[in-house]
Amino acid sequence: MESGEWIEKITGMVSLLLFIAANAYYPARWVFSPNRLWSSAVERFFSSYKDIHMWLNALAFLLISLNASVSGNRNLFLYMSLLVTVWLTIAGFLSRINPFSDNYRKRVRLLYSQQTVLVGWLVLRACGKL
């Protein structure tokens, strides 16, 4: 294997693992949210995990960008998924710095659009790899 292939495989796998670790926050919170049976320590963990979520996703975005630049597998779906990744990263940072603190509806709309776009991102990545 050439060094470019190794870089492609390593950055692809590490970015995938970082995306999974960063976004495990949402299913875990969704499972526990209806009952609110957790202690204050778990609530603090979920609160502090938001920062971990943001930085792991930012690091994964950098790795996926490097992966896209060295990858020999280039097609429209993968480029579109990279653009969606850029949008999700920017939207995530915007939601964390609270620029919409005066208007709660804008923040909720941004969050729901992020979740919808994430599903589109998954479809684009799957189509791009097929």
Side-chain angles (χ1 to χ4, degrees), residues 11 14-25 45 48-64 85 89 93 96:
T11 56
V14 171
S15 64
L16 174 66
L17 292 173
L18 287 173
F19 277 130
I20 291 170
N23 295 306
Y25 165 80
F45 170 76
S48 66
Y49 199 82
K50 289 178 187 176
D51 290 330
I52 295 168
H53 161 79
M54 180 182 71
W55 290 111
L56 286 178
N57 273 324
L59 181 59
F61 167 69
L62 292 175
L63 287 174
I64 202 85
T85 306
T89 303
F93 276 108
R96 283 300 289 154

Side-chain angles (χ1 to χ4, degrees), residues 24-76:
Y25 165 80
Y26 289 108
R29 190 154 180 114
W30 180 74
V31 166
F32 291 109
S33 184
N35 300 327
R36 295 280 182 173
L37 297 176
W38 59 66
S39 66
S40 61
V42 174
E43 181 66 38
R44 281 192 306 274
F45 170 76
F46 278 132
S47 180
S48 66
Y49 199 82
K50 289 178 187 176
D51 290 330
I52 295 168
H53 161 79
M54 180 182 71
W55 290 111
L56 286 178
N57 273 324
L59 181 59
F61 167 69
L62 292 175
L63 287 174
I64 202 85
S65 298
L66 176 64
N67 180 275
S69 69
V70 299
S71 176
N73 186 10
R74 295 188 171 115
N75 61 46
L76 182 62

